[in-house]
Amino acid sequence: MSENCTHDCSSCGVDCPSRNAEQPDFSAPTNAHSRVKKVIGVVSGKGGVGKSMVTSLMSALMRRRGHSVGILDADITGPSIPKAFGVKGQLTGSDEGIFPAVSATGVKLVSLNLLLSNETDPVVWRGPIIAGTVKQFWTDVMWEDVDFMFVDMPPGTGDVPLTVFQSLPLDGILIVTSPQELVGMIVEKAANMARMMNVPVLGIVENMSYFVCDQCGKEHRIFGESHVDEIAGRFGVKHVARLPIQPALAAACDGGTIEMVEAPWLEDMATALESL
């Protein structure tokens, strides 16, 4: 980097040393016992929009379609995947690696909660350690044959998403959002990060999109009108799904029965993933 660098790449010429420098390769090798065909990241610009629920629903749906499925729970400080699938106990392993847990229907999953003595123990780690743990879930776990690997990321564009984007062979990401206009702005940050990292946005899932009244059957936009089509159009995203507000979905996540929930709203998204 030149000592006169302004850190504004738009002002640089084509002969800038930093622009022409070879970029480092951060990709991590998979475990020798892992054969993963497609890796799909599930991201959100902020917390509380249902990212882990969408990860769980998509995984269960792809499993029902006959695919072998794995979930890498990269939300280290807020892991919720094991609870949604009703999986408990600690992971085991051998000299060759770690064995993933397996849900009732055969979804393989790895989460930090399955390595803790108590699932309510807090994870008070700094960013580099958390990012390193996520990478180890890819390199040290013996996933065996997996058609679709879903990576449930923490919200935002910090250390862990950057590690996943750089270290794992992502085929694309799904962005989870909600209807609020503020959230729409934050979604664009996630989409822009994907664009910067040359990872395609495969679809946008708008959670809590509407509520269907059980008396009149009318749809009510509890959190305001949707902006998802506008955002999808701006970034050239073809596939959009909308999930309703349903108490049964929350109950299934809390009760560990998410695999039993039908997800008709995500069928088109699943078909799009199958066409990759």
Side-chain angles (χ1 to χ4, degrees):
M1 181 180 293
S2 168
E3 61 182 11
N4 297 319
C5 180
T6 64
H7 302 285
D8 179 9
C9 292
S10 63
S11 65
C12 293
V14 294
D15 59 344
C16 173
S18 296
R19 184 186 292 271
N20 295 323
E22 183 178 347
Q23 296 301 311
D25 182 9
F26 295 103
S27 60
T30 186
N31 184 276
H33 296 275
S34 299
R35 295 167 295 277
V36 182
K37 294 179 180 178
K38 299 294 180 184
V39 183
I40 312 298
V42 184
V43 307
S44 63
K46 66 182 294 296
V49 296
K51 174 181 46 58
S52 295
M53 185 182 72
V54 170
T55 301
S56 301
L57 288 173
M58 284 299 304
S59 300
L61 177 54
M62 299 306 282
R63 184 71 186 126
R64 282 197 295 273
R65 288 188 171 210
H67 302 289
S68 55
V69 179
I71 301 178
L72 191 161
D73 189 356
D75 194 353
I76 299 298
T77 59
S80 54
I81 293 296
K83 183 175 180 61
F85 283 84
V87 174
K88 297 182 178 181
Q90 289 190 305
L91 298 177
T92 60
S94 68
D95 292 339
E96 297 178 286
I98 302 170
F99 299 112
V102 182
S103 74
T105 65
V107 175
K108 301 174 184 178
L109 53 94
V110 166
S111 173
L112 190 68
N113 257 18
L114 299 176
L115 293 170
L116 299 175
S117 299
N118 188 332
E119 64 178 13
T120 60
D121 288 343
V123 179
V124 189
W125 296 348
R126 294 193 183 276
I129 299 177
I130 294 174
T133 301
V134 170
K135 191 181 293 187
Q136 283 187 285
F137 284 170
W138 175 254
T139 60
D140 293 3
V141 174
M142 297 183 287
W143 292 101
E144 296 185 325
D145 292 306
V146 171
D147 295 326
F148 290 92
M149 169 79 71
F150 291 93
V151 183
D152 185 19
M153 297 193 217
T157 55
D159 284 342
V160 170
L162 182 60
T163 296
V164 172
F165 275 105
Q166 291 183 325
S167 303
L168 273 60
L170 286 178
D171 292 279
I173 63 168
L174 301 178
I175 298 178
V176 183
T177 181
S178 60
Q180 295 99 319
E181 187 172 356
L182 175 61
V183 175
M185 179 269 291
I186 297 174
V187 166
E188 294 194 39
K189 291 181 180 290
N192 282 323
M193 180 180 186
R195 177 182 289 176
M196 291 171 59
M197 305 300 295
N198 295 316
V199 175
V201 179
L202 303 174
I204 301 177
V205 180
E206 184 178 73
N207 189 29
M208 299 177 284
S209 183
Y210 58 92
F211 172 75
V212 179
C213 176
D214 56 359
Q215 299 296 320
C216 66
K218 183 180 179 181
E219 291 186 2
H220 298 273
R221 310 287 171 175
I222 304 296
F223 294 108
E225 292 302 316
S226 171
H227 300 275
V228 68
D229 286 327
E230 176 187 344
I231 297 172
R234 192 176 306 157
F235 287 92
V237 178
K238 296 181 180 179
H239 304 286
V240 172
R242 294 176 175 83
L243 270 62
I245 299 172
Q246 275 197 357
L249 288 175
C253 289
D254 291 340
T257 59
I258 195 66
E259 292 172 287
M260 305 300 111
V261 176
E262 299 290 336
W265 326 279
L266 295 172
E267 292 284 356
D268 289 344
M269 196 71 74
T271 301
L273 296 187
E274 289 176 330
S275 68
L276 289 176

